[in-house]
Amino acid sequence: MSTKSGDTGIFTAKSKTPSPKIHPLPCSDPIGKPLACSDPQQKGSDIDKVSQWLNTQSGEEEGGSPTEPTRQVKSQAEQTEELKKVAPWAKDFIRRSFTYKYRFVDTHCNVDDLVEGLNRDTQFNAELQSLPDNYEGFIAVFSNPTTFSSQSPADQLLKAVLREEGIWIVLGCPPKHANRFRKPHLVGLKQALATKHVVGVGPCGLDYTVGVGPDVQKVIFKVQLEMAVELKLPLVIQCQNADDDCLAMLQQHVPKLQKIHLQGFTGGKSLASRWMASFPNVYFGLTSSIVDRTAPACVKDMVRAVPLERILLESGTVVPENFRKHVATTHFGFALFTAKAIGELRRVSTDEVFKTCRENTRLFYGV
């Protein structure tokens, strides 16, 4: 693939920092108490308590290294030259990205979908160059079992990506593919997870809206939970209409302080609070769908309530509404719109969102 000037590949991030230990909520913290509080004098939601606790943390472990606080903004002449290279539909959001001081990492970009788009549309390769100026990199998600099968030619895609330097990868089998997961996929997944580029297991979980039986989903979910614990890797969880069962399985098979990234989270405040009470190191992955016209009010309330220090930026599979006539699949740069939406809902600057979420990515994934 072609690259932006100065990059070694489409998947490249500009820098890496040592991986510090994440700050877990202490076991005695009020967040660990049952959600149904019997004391009428006790005030404040679990989300409020997490926010208060986070405010007491330094955000950096001894020996850790924070990300670069700000970046060098291009001159007007450099901006003009850069805009000549991008697709026409992307000029507006690329122009806007020149003004941001902080970089961002897209923590969930579905590479399987993206590559399918590349094969389907020869023009999409050029559009990949339409990246925001403050884009730093992304976590490439491989969720199609044929990609990491030990027997399938499709695993050549993954092998090609693994050869590149400066990329971060998450691999797993989501609920919708659970009935396709066989021994070659298991063998291939174990092999791929052992490589140095991998930073997480997933997306895995339970989704009772797809046409795969719950029993099959639970078997494949359990296998991946055990892998994550054995390899000490974060989990990327996909959970839809199955929170009771998903939480129960996690509580049975992983430690309480397990790092959990809830991919594309669209639950309300009470559900977010329940996840934080169960797993102190849970982070909420958000996409630009939070400001979609079809997004329910409870989702926007959740975005306002969850601590910003617990949010990760994603492009996911969602194409922002005003770009759907231009592109059919996800784009590395769309996490920029997620940050903008979060800022608008929380009434903080987009740069503040970029700054905090970049640090969240470092703390969670170590990149």
Side-chain angles (χ1 to χ4, degrees):
M1 292 183 182
S2 57
T3 63
K4 292 182 69 176
S5 176
D7 288 349
T8 60
I10 277 292
F11 302 101
T12 300
K14 295 181 174 60
S15 63
K16 287 192 176 183
T17 54
S19 174
K21 294 181 179 178
I22 198 167
H23 294 285
L25 293 173
C27 296
S28 59
D29 193 88
I31 194 66
K33 294 182 178 180
L35 290 178
C37 178
S38 58
D39 182 1
Q41 302 301 317
Q42 185 174 341
K43 299 181 179 179
S45 68
D46 293 304
I47 290 178
D48 292 334
K49 293 165 191 170
V50 172
S51 297
Q52 294 166 7
W53 179 85
L54 283 166
N55 287 336
T56 69
Q57 305 304 301
S58 66
E60 184 177 343
E61 288 281 350
E62 182 177 358
S65 175
T67 53
E68 182 183 359
T70 57
R71 66 191 187 90
Q72 185 67 42
V73 177
K74 287 183 170 65
S75 68
Q76 190 62 48
E78 289 173 322
Q79 294 180 27
T80 300
E81 285 302 310
E82 190 73 19
L83 286 170
K84 293 178 181 178
K85 305 173 187 177
V86 306
W89 63 267
K91 289 185 183 296
D92 181 60
F93 86 86
I94 298 297
R95 185 179 292 110
R96 186 185 308 154
S97 73
F98 289 129
T99 67
Y100 297 130
K101 297 179 181 178
Y102 296 93
R103 301 187 187 279
F104 74 92
V105 169
D106 176 355
T107 63
H108 195 92
C109 188
N110 290 276
V111 173
D112 303 285
D113 294 337
L114 184 145
V115 172
E116 181 182 349
L118 280 172
N119 293 336
R120 186 173 60 242
D121 183 359
T122 56
Q123 297 302 313
F124 198 78
N125 190 45
E127 291 166 3
L128 291 179
Q129 301 309 306
S130 301
L131 296 170
D133 193 60
N134 62 330
Y135 157 90
E136 184 175 350
F138 73 87
I139 294 176
V141 177
F142 290 89
S143 59
N144 189 328
T146 60
T147 303
F148 46 77
S149 169
S150 60
Q151 297 178 350
S152 170
D155 75 342
Q156 296 303 316
L157 165 65
L158 176 58
K159 290 177 180 177
V161 173
L162 287 171
R163 284 195 294 268
E164 296 196 32
E165 290 296 323
I167 65 172
W168 310 303
I169 297 173
V170 167
L171 302 106
C173 179
K176 69 177 181 180
H177 292 317
N179 58 353
R180 300 169 53 195
F181 196 81
R182 299 290 186 269
K183 185 174 181 179
H185 305 134
L186 175 62
V187 173
L189 179 57
K190 285 183 176 179
Q191 292 173 345
L193 288 174
T195 67
K196 64 178 181 179
H197 300 276
V198 174
V199 295
V201 177
C204 57
L206 302 174
D207 184 345
Y208 292 167
T209 69
V210 298
V212 179
D215 291 342
V216 175
Q217 291 190 37
K218 289 177 181 179
V219 169
I220 304 307
F221 187 24
K222 179 177 179 290
V223 167
Q224 294 175 93
L225 294 181
E226 292 170 346
M227 287 186 193
V229 173
E230 178 184 352
L231 297 171
K232 296 181 173 58
L233 286 171
L235 278 164
V236 178
I237 297 296
Q238 180 182 333
C239 182
Q240 189 74 22
N241 289 11
D243 292 279
D244 289 346
D245 288 351
C246 197
L247 279 165
M249 287 194 65
L250 284 162
Q251 289 166 339
Q252 181 180 357
H253 297 291
V254 306
K256 187 175 180 65
L257 296 183
Q258 172 70 40
K259 292 182 183 180
I260 295 174
H261 173 175
L262 289 177
Q263 172 250 324
F265 187 75
T266 55
K269 287 193 296 184
S270 61
L271 183 55
S273 184
R274 184 182 176 190
W275 275 95
M276 285 190 288
S278 300
F279 292 97
N281 287 332
V282 68
Y283 280 64
F284 301 89
L286 302 180
T287 73
S288 60
S289 65
I290 59 177
V291 290
D292 196 281
R293 285 176 294 178
T294 61
C298 67
V299 173
K300 297 179 181 180
D301 290 341
M302 175 272 297
V303 176
R304 297 185 185 102
V306 167
L308 185 57
E309 293 83 358
R310 290 295 177 186
I311 291 176
L312 297 171
L313 300 178
E314 299 180 1
S315 63
T317 58
V318 178
V319 177
E321 285 186 287
N322 54 329
F323 288 98
R324 289 172 189 169
K325 64 181 180 181
H326 300 292
V327 292
T329 189
T330 190
H331 182 283
F332 302 114
F334 285 158
L336 181 144
F337 296 104
T338 306
K340 183 176 182 294
I342 293 169
E344 290 172 350
L345 288 171
R346 299 180 68 98
R347 296 185 178 180
V348 299
S349 70
T350 305
D351 250 332
E352 180 64 24
V353 176
F354 281 135
K355 178 182 179 182
T356 304
C357 290
R358 181 64 188 91
E359 180 65 2
N360 297 347
T361 304
R362 183 182 74 87
L363 288 171
F364 188 87
Y365 283 112
V367 301

